[in-house]
Amino acid sequence: MTDLASRPAQAPEAGARRRRAIGAQRLSDATILLLLIGMIAAFSVLTPAGTFLSLSNFESVLLTASQLLILSCGTTFLLIAGGLDLSIGAVTVFSAVVVAKVMGALAGTAAQAADFQYPNLAVAVAAAVGGGLAVGLGWGVLNGVLAVRTRIPPFIATLATGGIVLGLASVWTDGQNVQNVPLPFQTGFGLGKLFGVVPWPIVIAAVVTAVSWVLLAKTRFGLHTYAMGANLEAARRAGIDVGRHMVLLYAGMGALCGLVAIIDVGRFGTASITSHSGDGLAAIAAVVIGGTSLFGGRGRISGTIVGALIPAVLQSGFVIMDVQPFWQNVAVGVVLLVAVYVDQVKIRAQTRA
Amino acid sequence: MTTGASDPGAYAVRVRGVRKRYGHVEALRGVDLDIAPGEVHALLGDNGAGKSTLVKVLAGAVTPDEGSIEIGGRRHRFTSPRDAQRAGIETVYQDLALAPTLPPDANLFLGREPARPGLLGRLGFVDRKAMREAAGTHLRSLNSKVQDLGAEVGSMSGGQKQAVAVARAAMWGSALIMMDEPTAALGVAQTESVLDLIRRIRDEKGLPVLLISHNLPDVFSVADRVTVLRLGRRVLTAPIGEVTATGLIEAMTGADTLRGAS
Ligand SMILES: Nc1ncnc2c1ncn2[C@@H]1O[C@H](COP(=O)(O)OP(=O)(O)OP(=O)(O)O)[C@@H](O)[C@H]1O
Ligand SMILES: [Mg+2]
């Protein structure tokens, strides 16, 4: 073993390359958290005391972020594995239509509903929740099978299924929102709170986030997700059933869409056809801002949490400051550009050989 | 021409009459190969001679049209890489098949991660500590150049990557380790380091190694025996001490062919 002595120039070079790669990773992780903290600090200073920086606003920001956070958790898995789902907004809408229709139809007759009487509420809610999750899961499985079986890139495949799914939801409802959601579902769940303290959507988002974090960071499933995005062929040769794994990821994404649909119907008492068109891109933006690589193999739920909070914080701050809240979109776009740029620098630092 | 050995127990791996045809190309035309326990066996041949195809047959990645594979006297029929792995054959492919964003320990254990004890293990939790420790011990036993077990494999030098891939094969192989041109992309020092790793697999683990190489100095430096393929046929198997570079080149290119062409 004479190598170490005979290659003095190589070892330090490799070390520097590694330090650069890891340095870039830490930098972007910390940068994005600092950015969020900076935003919160700035809004706290710029707004009247007790408005932005208050418990009630904190709650409303989390409530706003909760649905995006759930979708972003699923998207984190997909992007790390080298997948992509642009259909999640459409699947959420379709699932919401199912939830609202099933619940409205089963809870009681139209006459009873007009009197706010819902004799079959429990059955109706159970069926609607089960139906929403199942339908979301079903569309997810379809996306997964398309991604695995056909050679259509997921970008195109899920763009197409998204169009189909949203189209079907619109045909089904004549493009109208579905209104007849039982009131108690909204008051008890969508606007309700666990122990009268934490709103249910926030509780659900927290649970989904925690489970995602554990699954990704601690389990074999998580490790295989990284491996697939890093080198699909290597994962396959290591005996990982990559097809099955990918279908599971898309199916999970679909089920999360169903969950978000349930929350959405609960919060707003209606299944809205138009309000989720941007969800897919918003989730991808949040995830990439949070440091997950568009090129696969890299990412963390902790970053995704930060990435999903940024739009809600911006929106809340702008509304309170009486700035047009549309500036939120502008700001998120800028942050996204920076995040992708950092990602590319990271990849280049890693692969420079 | 042949090894002449007849006792089946004397060989770790016996290949008999393997044929593989791709459309009009006959990549392997009835190849026999015997690999002895604890030997480094070099597989030589010109481009297209069928070396990679033979390795893929032994790795279960390609199913032969005809022929048999025996390991430790037992006959096997591989229909997938999983079958070959179960029989104790591990392969280091030319492209290494590493996950660049994962650290070395995760790469060594990819697809075979140790589970946490108890309920957590059944839920799919990985014992990362055990994984890291076992990986560290194994890499040290091979005197590997991989030092930082926390670094991403993608950030490592070519030699270190090769070391991780070889170490993975050595970790799981129990019958045969195969390497397809493991030093093709490496500099002098890193090549020497990989050759040393090959010797260690033979000497410390007692495993036979089947080594494909175009590099004759490497072959003379590390191999115990050598087999030459030409156009899908075996044309030579001999102890390394009984051949010369000129003899090997003649066997690879085919003296007849040369004469016929000129
Ligand atoms: N998948 C395949 N489809 C069709 N033909 C193939 C395939 N794989 C190999 N061949 C052909 O079989 C023959 C043997 O190929 P093989 O890759 O085994 O040669 P090799 O000895 O490894 O060559 P090299 O030194 O160039 O790597 C070649 O003629 C090759 O073109
Ligand atoms: Mg080859």
Side-chain angles (χ1 to χ4, degrees), chain A residues 1-4 6-7 10 14-15 17-18 21-22 25 214-221 223-224 226-227 229-231 233-235 237-240 296-298 350-351 353, chain B residues 82 85 93 95-102 106 110-111 113-115 123-126 128 131 143 145 147-148 150-152 154-157 160 168 189-190 192-193 196 200:
Chain A
M1 301 309 302
T2 54
D3 296 46
L4 268 187
S6 65
R7 44 168 219 182
Q10 286 172 12
R17 198 186 313 142
R18 188 181 64 237
I22 290 176
Q25 170 97 41
V214 169
L215 195 60
L216 192 56
K218 302 286 174 194
T219 71
R220 190 172 287 158
F221 186 87
L223 212 47
H224 292 179
Y226 284 103
N231 186 345
E233 186 55 29
R237 285 194 210 150
I240 297 167
R298 222 191 293 269
Q350 186 213 61
T351 52
Chain B
R82 219 45 182 161
Q85 286 181 352
Y93 291 97
D95 62 5
L96 301 187
L98 296 170
T101 64
L102 294 179
L110 192 57
E113 299 84 0
L123 288 173
F125 280 67
V126 175
R128 292 203 92 131
M131 195 162 90
N143 199 9
K145 287 282 173 294
Q147 281 134 356
D148 189 349
E152 293 183 359
S155 67
M156 295 180 170
S157 72
Q160 287 173 319
R168 175 169 61 188
Q190 298 191 333
E192 191 46 50
S193 155
D196 191 70
R200 269 172 190 274

Side-chain angles (χ1 to χ4, degrees), chain B residues 22 25 27 45-53 181 214:
Chain B
Y22 293 108
V25 182
D46 208 351
N47 295 117
K51 308 180 295 295
S52 295
T53 306
E181 302 195 35
H214 281 291

Side-chain angles (χ1 to χ4, degrees), chain B residues 11 14 17 48 58 65 87 96 103 121 149 151 157 159 168 177-179 185 204:
Chain B
Y11 290 106
R14 270 172 96 90
L58 279 165
D65 304 327
L96 301 187
L149 288 177
S157 72
R168 175 169 61 188
I177 308 294
M178 300 192 291
M179 304 185 198
E204 317 259 312

